[in-house]
Amino acid sequence: MKLLDPTHPFFRPAWRRYAIVAVCFLWATFEMSQGNNIWAYVFAGIGGYLAYNLIFAFPKDPPEDG
């Protein structure tokens, strides 16, 4: 089961991919500062998953329609 489709047109702009990952890590930092360690780990895990799929493993060539 695929949780995320990085080939979706919504994720085509690079700034959008980086912003989504940054929001997750910023929220994890906020939760950690409030003492909510469990939620901080959850959001850091989500951010790591998104960073891998949207930044490191993102397809370099856009998929061809057809």
Side-chain angles (χ1 to χ4, degrees), residues 12 62-66:
R12 214 170 270 151
E64 296 180 12
D65 294 333

Side-chain angles (χ1 to χ4, degrees), residues 2 4 6 17-18 20-22 24-25 44-60:
K2 195 170 194 176
L4 179 72
R17 296 191 311 265
Y18 284 100
I20 291 170
V21 171
C24 287
F25 283 120
I46 292 170
Y49 177 79
L50 291 175
Y52 175 75
N53 283 299
L54 294 179
I55 296 173
F56 298 116
F58 190 76
K60 302 300 181 213

Side-chain angles (χ1 to χ4, degrees), residues 19-42:
I20 291 170
V21 171
V23 165
C24 287
F25 283 120
L26 287 172
W27 195 258
T29 303
F30 170 75
E31 291 291 351
M32 186 68 79
S33 72
Q34 297 298 312
N36 300 322
N37 294 337
I38 299 297
W39 284 111
Y41 295 141
V42 168

